[in-house]
Amino acid sequence: MRESIGTAFAAALVLGLAGCGGGGGGGGGAAAELKLTVEIAGAAATPDGSGKYGVLPGQQVTIKASDNVAWAGDAGVSVVTRTDVDTTVTQWVSRFTNSSKTQTGTYKLVANASEGRSKELNFIVQTGDYRNGDYTVFAANGSRHKLSIDFEKATYSMTDTAGNTTSGALTPPSSPTYDGDWKVQNSRITGTNVSSFWVVGDNILGGFPFEKPFSTPVSYAAAPLVATRAFVLTQSKLDGTYDRARISFSASGGESAIAQIQISGGGTVMKQCTNQIIYRIDSCPAGSVVTSAVEADAEPGMWQLKNPADGTLLGRFGVAMIDGDKTYLSAGTSPADGTQVLAIGVPAASEYVGFMTGMGWSTSGTMDMTIASLTQYQMVQTGDNSAVFNLAVNALGASSPVGIRSAESGGDFFFTMRSKRLDVLIGARSPSARAGFLHLGFIQ
């Protein structure tokens, strides 16, 4: 009897230890169930009666895993292709394209975790234009908006952060030469219409009749914009060095700032060179380096800049992928002085490279054609403020960013910088008469 009680007690002890993750030298028991959550266009999604998720072309699909996984996707012989947005071992973020005008397509995604755990998700991709959907707009009047666009219906709506919306129609491209150029129709437009949208992957570049900064009564003028849905979502991927053009507006006028910035530490630190001389960040005098902490914002894809000493909010920014290049974007009202700011940063280049054909828009309310070489920058502007510029391009000092050049002619003084697809020309800071000027274009 005593032996049977002892045997039962020992067995119970072993079972108890096993339940706590110990005992018997055999490990921690069965692994937890692998769980996946699905979001489509930013909202929680549920499958249909057949267990499949319906999605429109261009909509962002986000899958979050409860454990580290290896993702395996397969469209089979389907008409579907996938665009990766920002995928890690714990999340899968993508968009789908359906090449067919008449039939739906399918896509199977499998998440494989340790100990043989796996989950399968199946998607039905509807027909439609991949470019349709919602974009975050960074505007050259120093404001941020949401753009909702439907290329099949040729309509759009533009909504500012206060919830004010303006909408209208789009006129499709008129010739193969401008096959991506959609003219914007809007009641705000007077005079020559230079407002249009041009799609570059999951980004839209263009001009739009935004509110003039600090205008009373309110008036409108065409200004450049970058609209994106291609944000970098993983903080560690923000790291990089950027050549940044920044314009700001107050009630007294516009101002420019040209600088190199660097994000490091897995996307947790930003350093900016604020010296009046344009230095590379690694050559910037210590007293001119401003260091900020980077934290996630409530809006996915946006990040907060904070004073590391007291946590004061300094601004917000995003990093978008434009034709494979990380591009720094910031727009809004400065918490420090109430000015309206737009900043755009292209990857710091190892050399300055010219281009043969570019088109874009400027804060002068024009549509521009540009050509650049190592020695010249030529720009022809069309609009109510039409102008022609033939600027001499020169390298800056040995301690300056290689990818930034001066561009000047007589009293016109600018700086030029570029990525693979973006062309940026910014007016020199005060006392230059071009302070606050920005041309933003894309290289064809």
Side-chain angles (χ1 to χ4, degrees):
M1 180 68 176
R2 181 177 300 169
E3 182 180 357
S4 62
I5 292 174
T7 300
F9 178 79
L13 179 61
V14 169
L15 289 172
L17 288 172
C20 294
E33 178 189 1
L34 175 64
K35 296 181 180 180
L36 303 178
T37 59
V38 181
E39 293 180 0
I40 298 177
T46 55
D48 62 16
S50 64
K52 298 178 180 179
Y53 293 84
V55 59
L56 294 172
Q59 285 186 319
Q60 181 169 294
V61 179
T62 302
I63 315 297
K64 296 180 181 179
S66 60
D67 205 339
N68 290 353
V69 301
W71 305 98
D74 183 16
V77 294
S78 176
V79 291
V80 170
T81 55
R82 180 182 76 93
T83 299
D84 182 64
V85 177
D86 194 348
T87 296
T88 68
V89 294
T90 58
Q91 73 171 11
W92 184 91
V93 188
S94 300
R95 301 180 192 279
F96 296 119
T97 301
N98 183 344
S99 60
S100 174
K101 301 292 185 183
T102 59
Q103 69 180 73
T104 61
T106 60
Y107 191 90
K108 179 176 73 174
L109 177 68
V110 179
N112 294 301
S114 61
E115 302 186 42
R117 294 171 295 157
S118 68
K119 284 287 180 70
E120 179 180 311
L121 299 174
N122 288 279
F123 297 92
I124 299 295
V125 183
Q126 307 297 323
T127 58
D129 194 316
Y130 175 86
R131 302 169 297 176
N132 292 348
D134 298 330
Y135 298 76
T136 299
V137 175
F138 298 82
N141 70 337
S143 62
R144 204 163 72 246
H145 303 254
K146 291 294 184 184
L147 171 65
S148 295
I149 195 163
D150 189 321
F151 286 94
E152 291 163 297
K153 296 179 179 178
T155 59
Y156 72 89
S157 63
M158 185 80 74
T159 304
D160 65 21
T161 53
N164 301 308
T165 298
T166 183
S167 58
L170 297 170
T171 302
S174 58
S175 72
T177 304
Y178 299 101
D179 63 350
D181 189 42
W182 291 71
K183 280 291 184 185
V184 171
Q185 308 301 326
N186 191 279
S187 59
R188 296 175 175 179
I189 297 172
T190 59
T192 305
N193 183 6
V194 298
S195 296
S196 60
F197 297 143
W198 197 296
V199 180
V200 181
D202 283 298
N203 308 278
I204 295 175
L205 304 177
F208 189 81
F210 293 108
E211 181 179 329
K212 291 182 180 180
F214 298 95
S215 60
T216 305
V218 173
S219 58
Y220 303 93
L225 66 86
V226 179
T228 187
R229 61 183 187 188
F231 283 119
V232 172
L233 302 176
T234 303
Q235 189 166 8
S236 61
K237 296 181 182 179
L238 301 175
D239 282 2
T241 303
Y242 305 85
D243 294 335
R244 188 187 68 182
R246 181 182 186 272
I247 56 173
S248 60
F249 300 96
S250 66
S252 58
E255 185 54 280
S256 301
I258 302 93
Q260 191 171 87
I261 65 172
Q262 185 179 72
I263 303 175
S264 61
T268 61
V269 177
M270 180 187 289
K271 292 183 178 180
Q272 309 176 58
C273 186
T274 60
N275 198 285
Q276 295 291 302
I277 297 173
I278 304 171
Y279 284 104
R280 293 193 310 274
I281 192 69
D282 58 1
S283 298
C284 186
S288 297
V289 176
V290 174
T291 301
S292 306
V294 180
E295 298 179 6
D297 189 69
E299 181 180 346
M302 295 297 293
W303 306 88
Q304 297 182 0
L305 280 179
K306 289 189 174 181
N307 185 320
D310 59 15
T312 302
L313 179 66
L314 304 174
R316 291 179 171 86
F317 72 95
V319 172
M321 298 300 297
I322 301 180
D323 200 16
D325 283 332
K326 289 192 288 189
T327 306
Y328 177 96
L329 297 167
S330 180
T333 302
S334 167
D337 57 16
T339 56
Q340 293 179 215
V341 177
L342 171 75
I344 178 167
V346 296
S350 59
E351 60 179 336
Y352 180 83
V353 181
F355 56 88
M356 287 304 298
T357 307
M359 69 168 294
W361 301 261
S362 86
T363 50
S364 295
T366 60
M367 178 174 280
D368 312 326
M369 298 296 294
T370 54
I371 298 173
S373 70
L374 296 181
T375 59
Q376 285 187 315
Y377 186 101
Q378 298 173 299
M379 179 167 63
V380 177
Q381 298 186 310
T382 301
D384 295 334
N385 299 302
S386 298
V388 177
F389 293 92
N390 191 358
L391 308 171
V393 172
N394 293 289
L396 305 182
S399 298
S400 299
V402 178
I404 301 178
R405 298 287 174 104
S406 66
E408 57 187 295
S409 175
D412 289 318
F413 197 4
F414 305 88
F415 292 92
T416 174
M417 61 192 78
R418 59 163 293 191
S419 64
K420 287 199 295 285
R421 291 301 300 272
L422 296 185
D423 162 34
V424 180
L425 185 74
I426 181 173
R429 69 177 78 243
S430 297
S432 165
R434 296 294 178 177
F437 171 89
L438 183 77
H439 156 86
L440 176 61
F442 66 93
I443 299 163
Q444 295 175 284

